[in-house]
């Protein structure tokens, strides 16, 4: 039994079938990178794992427990599975500290003081303790995204989903976010990343999955996918990435 | 560096347009200024005539009249500047100095517009004065009889307190009630369909009903039913109920627009952290929505404030009703003017307050 099992998942938006019987397994402490052209279903897959989207077929299991279908306690699931979005989605009317303590105090019923202490420790770790009382729009994009990651970490998830979290950032701000991910990977955090940062994927991924038209088209260790891709689609995709100077 | 390709297009040459000197415009402005100077003197002369016809003599009044006559002299300054600049522009044109001509011409236009703007305001003022003193100060006597205003002021103010109490209660109630209705309208899922339907029907119905009819039906009707609870309620409380029901529907529509304006990504972020539907509403969506809709909410609040004057149809002695009683006793509307002034006085600060709140919020987070 794997840590996370995605079996034959089908997801439709109206007539548009985005996931077409997708299979994926993730082991504990693995970092799985999802790559592929836009529209191939990377974000949708992550949103399904977090229960933000209902699926129309197949199932997803976490630690052997089914987390899709009727009757699943989604609020409980989301305590264990965190997600970070491309557009940060911090709460603009709350300070950085409030953004981080909201879920622990309201969902985990953690005392305010304890939640703040934990939040400040997390902020210290990313070097943003001095921004605790600032509002999100007073932060740079990279800082906002790191706060968003820390906000998810405050719930101490067992699985972290990262949905193209560097795509909306100015190039010079990408590294500060990637450095944080690198640290998390070293600490053994289980993560699934949808990403266009091929260099980063090559460096930290335990497994790279090339997604195409709603299924995992090819998967394997990064050296294999990036150096000897087997399938034609994978080769084409990587060729265009290289042409754009991104690998 | 790459070599530029040899088949590049020929560059098109640009011919500058000849500037206008604005001389005609400046001349028109000056003429208007002089005409207004004469008109003001004539109107003030009329005022003086009316004053002496009514045996009104006071040194300060004469002083004010003279001041007003001198006022339009100020118009001569921008008009003169305009003409001077126009002349300079014309000279520059003749010496083919295009740039100087443009600068002076633009200056001449600005000053001419200045003259026109202030002249227009002065003209409106003169028309109002003429209206006020027409038919031997009939307008002034009908609406602004100072003696009557002073005598009735105490009564009116006391009655106005009734308006204030009604709109404070109805205001707070409709703000809360409107939010409840808006949330009911937006409840997700099939099971909540009947609730959504009722909420939608309620808002549709009360948006289409004139508030005066709701006040009439509730103020007269509910006591008639003889149900103990309603029979013993004071009329003011029924008025509050009627206004809450009416304006609750308006407020609900504003809330709904606010709630729907919050981007789905905020919902996703909150839900993904494990917050429930109601926690997300309470901590994330409603606080942001309310900040956005403070101006329309307050506009509704002000609208309701004004509608408190309608409660006189069921016999509540509010400021307007009191003023009407005085007006029919004295055959003069000055007491109603007092009511009008009171409404203006309480409304303007609120409007400014909202502007301030909006500005402060914007400074704090531009994103939301």
């Amino acid at each position: 039994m794997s840590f996370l099992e995605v079996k034959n998942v089908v997801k439709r938006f109206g007539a548009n079938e985005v996931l077409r019987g997708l299979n994926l397994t993730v082991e504990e402490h693995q970092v799985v990178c999802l790559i592929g052209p836009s529209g191939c279903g990377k974000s949708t897959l992550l949103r399904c794992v977090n229960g933000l989207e209902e699926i129309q077929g197949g199932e997803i299991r976490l630690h052997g427990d089914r987390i899709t279908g009727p009757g699943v306690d989604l609020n409980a699931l989301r305590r264990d599975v965190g997600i970070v979005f491309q557009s940060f989605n911090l709460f603009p009317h709350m300070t950085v500290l409030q953004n981080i303590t909201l879920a622990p105090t309201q969902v985990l019923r953690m005392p305010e003081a304890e939640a703040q202490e934990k939040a400040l420790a997390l902020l210290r770790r990313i070097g943003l303790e001095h921004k605790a009382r600032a509002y999100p729009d007073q932060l740079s994009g990279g800082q906002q995204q790191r706060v968003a990651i820390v906000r998810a970490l405050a719930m101490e998830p067992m699985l972290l989903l990262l949905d193209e979290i560097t795509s909306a950032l100015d190039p010079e701000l990408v590294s500060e976010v990637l450095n944080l991910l690198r640290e998390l990977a070293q600490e053994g955090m289980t993560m699934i990343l949808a990403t266009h940062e091929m260099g980063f994927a090559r460096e930290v991924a335990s497994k790279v999955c090339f997604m195409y038209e709603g299924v995992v088209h090819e998967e394997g260790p990064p050296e294999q996918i990036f150096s000897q891709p087997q399938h034609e689609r994978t080769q084409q995709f990587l060729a265009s990435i290289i042409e754009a100077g991104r690998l | 560096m790459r070599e530029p390709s040899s088949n590049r297009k020929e560059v098109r040459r640009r011919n500058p347009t000849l500037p206008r000197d604005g001389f005609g415009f400046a001349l028109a402005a000056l003429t208007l200024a002089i005409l207004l100077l004469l008109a003001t003197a004539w109107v003030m002369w009329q005022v003086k005539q009316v004053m002496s016809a009514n045996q009104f003599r006071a040194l300060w009044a004469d002083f004010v009249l003279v001041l007003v006559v001198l006022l339009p002299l100020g118009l001569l300054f921008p008009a003169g500047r305009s003409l001077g600049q126009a002349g300079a522009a014309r000279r520059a044109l003749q010496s083919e100095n295009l740039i100087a001509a443009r600068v002076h011409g633009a200056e001449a236009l600005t000053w001419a517009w200045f003259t026109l703007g202030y002249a227009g305001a002065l003209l409106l003022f003169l028309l109002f004065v003429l209206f006020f003193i027409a038919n031997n100060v009939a307008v002034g006597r009908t609406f602004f009889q100072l003696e009557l205003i002073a005598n009735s002021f105490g009564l009116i103010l006391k009655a106005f307190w009734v308006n204030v109490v009604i709109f404070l209660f109805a205001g707070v109630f409709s703000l809360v009630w409107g939010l409840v209705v808006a949330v009911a309208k937006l409840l997700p899922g099939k099971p909540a369909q009947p609730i959504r339907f009722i909420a939608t029907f309620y808002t549709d119905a009360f948006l289409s009903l004139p508030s005066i009819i709701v006040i009439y039906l509730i103020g007269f009707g509910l006591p008639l039913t003889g149900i103990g609870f309603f029979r013993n309620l004071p009329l003011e409380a029924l008025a509050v109920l009627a206004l809450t029901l009416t304006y609750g529907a308006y407020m609900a529509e504003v809330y709904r627009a606010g709630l729907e304006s919050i981007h789905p990504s905020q919902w996703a972020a909150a839900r993904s952290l494990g917050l429930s539907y109601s926690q997300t509403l309470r901590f994330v969506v409603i606080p942001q929505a309310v900040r956005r809709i403070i101006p329309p909410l307050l506009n509704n609040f002000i609208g309701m404030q004004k509608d408190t004057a309608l409660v006189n149809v069921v016999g509540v002695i509010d400021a307007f009703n009191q003023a009407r009683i005085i007006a029919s006793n004295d055959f003069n509307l000055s007491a109603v003017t007092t009511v009008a002034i009171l409404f203006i006085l309480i409304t303007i600060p609120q409007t400014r307050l909202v502007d301030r709140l909006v500005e402060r919020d914007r400074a704090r987070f531009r994103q939301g």
Side-chain angles (χ1 to χ4, degrees):
Chain A
M1 181 187 74
S2 295
F3 174 69
L4 179 79
E5 293 167 295
V6 178
K7 290 185 207 155
N8 282 319
V9 163
V10 175
K11 169 71 196 171
R12 276 185 290 266
F13 292 102
N16 180 18
E17 202 171 50
V18 180
L19 300 182
R20 305 175 175 182
L22 184 137
N23 289 294
L24 176 72
T25 57
V26 179
E27 303 300 334
E28 229 162 336
H29 309 307
Q30 267 193 339
V31 176
V32 174
C33 286
L34 307 175
I35 62 170
S38 43
C40 69
K42 303 187 292 284
S43 296
T44 307
L45 173 62
L46 295 184
R47 292 174 68 91
C48 289
V49 174
N50 189 257
L52 286 172
E53 305 287 354
E54 249 177 70
I55 59 174
Q56 278 78 44
E59 61 169 18
I60 304 176
R61 284 174 180 271
L62 184 67
H63 267 320
D65 180 27
R66 203 165 114 151
I67 57 169
T68 51
V72 172
D73 184 351
L74 288 177
N75 294 337
L77 164 69
R78 289 166 184 151
R79 268 173 244 157
D80 297 330
V81 180
I83 185 166
V84 183
F85 303 92
Q86 179 178 351
S87 50
F88 328 142
N89 299 1
L90 293 175
F91 307 130
H93 61 300
M94 294 182 179
T95 62
V96 165
L97 193 65
Q98 288 168 334
N99 261 282
I100 302 172
T101 57
L102 177 67
T105 52
Q106 295 304 324
V107 180
L108 304 178
R109 304 274 162 212
M110 191 185 283
E112 187 74 37
E114 190 188 336
Q116 288 197 1
E117 207 173 298
K118 276 189 68 179
L120 285 172
L122 285 165
L123 284 173
R124 204 171 303 135
R125 170 179 180 175
I126 58 170
L128 289 179
E129 202 185 4
H130 61 292
K131 295 285 189 188
R133 310 270 165 209
Y135 285 88
D137 74 326
Q138 296 163 332
L139 269 55
S140 75
Q143 291 173 333
Q144 287 191 51
Q145 193 58 292
R146 284 184 289 151
V147 170
I149 295 172
V150 160
R151 179 174 72 175
L153 290 179
M155 294 295 283
E156 298 183 349
M158 50 176 80
L159 171 63
L160 192 59
L161 311 171
L162 303 137
D163 186 4
E164 297 194 18
I165 60 168
T166 56
S167 301
L169 295 179
D170 289 335
E172 79 271 23
L173 303 177
V174 169
S175 65
E176 60 189 64
V177 172
L178 293 186
N179 282 336
L180 177 57
L181 291 192
R182 218 169 259 133
E183 278 179 43
L184 292 176
Q186 276 158 13
E187 287 165 18
M189 170 67 78
T190 315
M191 296 190 277
I192 308 179
L193 290 85
T195 187
H196 290 299
E197 305 289 345
M198 299 303 160
F200 182 74
R202 191 170 199 166
E203 173 196 334
V204 300
S206 339
K207 177 160 88 172
V208 174
C209 300
F210 172 70
M211 282 178 64
Y212 187 75
E213 291 188 337
V215 292
V216 175
H217 206 67
E218 181 171 356
E219 63 172 85
E223 312 82 55
Q224 183 201 317
I225 298 289
F226 288 117
S227 312
Q228 294 135 5
Q230 304 297 309
H231 293 275
E232 195 191 333
R233 286 290 177 197
T234 321
Q235 289 160 4
Q236 280 174 1
F237 176 73
L238 289 171
S240 58
I241 294 284
I242 290 165
E243 198 175 330
R246 289 293 183 86
L247 188 68
Chain B
M1 280 299 278
R2 290 186 196 175
E3 285 297 310
S5 74
S6 54
N7 54 358
R8 282 191 306 176
K9 271 205 229 156
E10 202 57 39
V11 177
R12 195 165 62 83
R13 293 218 66 83
R14 184 168 178 281
N15 292 317
T17 49
L18 276 185
R20 284 187 302 185
D21 55 17
F23 207 80
F25 199 27
L27 215 55
L30 187 63
T31 317
L32 187 70
I34 292 167
L35 281 177
L36 267 178
L37 198 59
L38 298 175
T40 312
W42 180 75
V43 171
M44 289 308 122
W45 175 245
Q46 296 295 315
V47 173
K48 180 70 191 157
Q49 298 273 305
V50 169
M51 271 163 45
S52 38
N54 291 287
Q55 270 89 45
F56 181 81
R57 231 176 280 281
L59 195 62
W60 65 267
D62 290 339
F63 185 67
V64 169
L65 287 186
V66 173
L67 264 189
V68 175
V69 171
L70 294 179
L71 215 58
L73 280 177
L75 285 177
L76 292 178
F77 173 71
R81 285 294 290 266
S82 179
L83 206 62
Q85 291 293 332
R90 178 163 284 191
R91 282 193 299 281
L93 260 185
Q94 273 155 8
S95 58
E96 289 188 11
N97 185 349
L98 281 191
I99 293 174
R102 243 180 242 148
V103 172
H104 288 302
E107 193 85 334
L109 276 183
T110 307
W111 283 112
W113 276 114
F114 236 104
T115 317
L116 288 185
Y118 280 86
L122 185 61
L123 195 64
L124 283 177
F125 171 70
L126 292 180
L127 285 175
F128 178 75
V129 170
L130 280 180
F131 177 62
F132 197 82
I133 62 168
N135 192 14
N136 197 15
V137 212
V139 174
R141 280 176 219 275
T142 311
F143 295 104
F144 297 97
Q145 209 176 85
L146 291 177
E147 202 189 336
L148 186 59
I149 289 181
N151 286 339
S152 62
F153 189 71
L155 267 180
I156 299 284
L157 199 64
K158 220 172 123 191
F160 191 67
W161 179 242
V162 175
N163 293 68
V164 173
V165 169
I166 290 178
F167 78 65
L168 282 183
F169 275 103
V172 172
F173 290 158
S174 60
L175 278 175
V176 176
W177 176 233
L179 181 58
V180 171
V181 174
V183 169
K185 255 181 125 162
L186 293 176
L187 280 179
K190 278 227 163 69
Q193 205 158 20
I195 304 282
R196 283 200 298 269
F197 178 78
I198 291 173
T200 307
F201 179 75
Y202 161 75
T203 43
D204 285 354
F206 277 85
L207 284 181
S208 42
L209 277 173
S211 33
I212 196 165
I213 292 182
V214 179
I215 293 169
Y216 201 82
L217 285 175
I218 288 180
F220 276 144
L222 285 186
L224 272 183
T225 59
I227 299 169
F229 179 72
F230 293 118
R231 209 177 39 200
N232 299 327
L233 275 182
L235 267 183
E236 286 81 358
L238 292 171
V240 167
L241 176 63
L243 285 172
T244 303
L245 285 175
T246 306
Y247 276 88
Y250 285 99
M251 302 286 191
E253 283 304 281
V254 174
Y255 276 120
R256 187 172 68 118
L259 293 175
E260 283 178 340
S261 78
I262 301 303
H263 197 267
S265 65
Q266 287 286 312
W267 278 96
R271 296 309 297 277
S272 76
L273 286 165
L275 271 75
S276 67
Y277 182 88
S278 55
Q279 283 174 325
T280 302
L281 262 184
R282 178 172 155 210
F283 296 109
V284 177
V285 177
I286 290 177
Q288 293 185 58
V290 167
R291 279 180 173 82
R292 283 184 196 179
I293 55 172
I294 285 175
L297 279 182
L298 209 100
N299 282 342
N300 276 342
F301 192 73
I302 291 169
M304 186 186 63
Q305 223 160 278
K306 297 190 288 186
D307 271 5
T308 55
L310 298 176
V311 301
N312 73 79
V313 295
V314 291
V316 176
I317 304 294
D318 75 320
F320 179 45
N321 214 354
Q322 183 67 267
R324 283 202 321 176
I325 295 168
I326 296 168
S328 52
N329 282 344
D330 293 68
F331 216 68
N332 184 288
L333 289 183
S334 298
V336 184
T337 306
T338 313
V339 179
I341 291 170
L342 284 176
F343 271 110
I344 293 173
L345 282 182
I346 58 161
T347 305
I348 290 178
Q350 293 178 61
T351 322
R352 293 293 153 267
L353 175 75
V354 180
D355 291 348
R356 283 268 279 289
L357 288 177
V358 170
E359 209 36 62
R360 203 184 59 182
D361 232 46
R362 225 171 252 162
R364 219 181 47 158
F365 62 95
R366 270 153 281 145
Q367 192 186 333

